[in-house]
Amino acid sequence: MMGLLFLLLVMAMLLTTPRSSSCQGTHMILDTDIHNFYEHLVLKEIEKQGLQQKLNSDQMADLCCLTLNQLPAHYIRHNVDMIYFLTDAKRTEMEKLVVESLKVAQQKIKQAPVKSS
């Protein structure tokens, strides 16, 4: 349970922490300057469905990977960018795609053999 809480805390911090630019000249560091907006939507839906209480930390990590791998990449620099450039219809479409992808990923998790420690 602690591993899951740590994973969710780290992911939440990454999505909400203001990021200073790591650019030096024309170089930028991808993991600090940009991120995939679908990560935010997936975590929001996981919380909405209460899946963090139903799955262990390994299953949660697998669920996130399986879900995100089904979704298109939608990279942004700042979450606020999405407020200005995303229509309600597009946001609804993205959220629906997340729900569908999460459902497929959950089925794969259910079918996978349970790992023993």
Side-chain angles (χ1 to χ4, degrees), residues 46-73:
I46 285 171
E47 184 178 318
K48 181 179 172 183
Q49 292 186 24
L51 297 177
Q52 67 274 19
Q53 283 100 21
K54 299 175 185 174
L55 302 172
N56 65 37
S57 60
D58 284 336
Q59 290 172 318
M60 281 297 299
D62 289 344
L63 181 71
C64 289
C65 290
L66 290 168
T67 302
L68 287 166
N69 283 335
Q70 295 175 68
L71 297 167

Side-chain angles (χ1 to χ4, degrees), residues 21-66:
S21 177
S22 300
C23 296
Q24 294 179 343
T26 59
H27 297 82
M28 74 174 167
I29 299 173
L30 293 179
D31 65 344
T32 59
D33 290 336
I34 64 171
H35 65 281
N36 185 347
F37 184 68
Y38 274 102
E39 294 168 0
H40 168 75
L41 295 178
V42 168
L43 291 176
K44 186 176 172 185
E45 187 61 31
I46 285 171
E47 184 178 318
K48 181 179 172 183
Q49 292 186 24
L51 297 177
Q52 67 274 19
Q53 283 100 21
K54 299 175 185 174
L55 302 172
N56 65 37
S57 60
D58 284 336
Q59 290 172 318
M60 281 297 299
D62 289 344
L63 181 71
C64 289
C65 290
L66 290 168

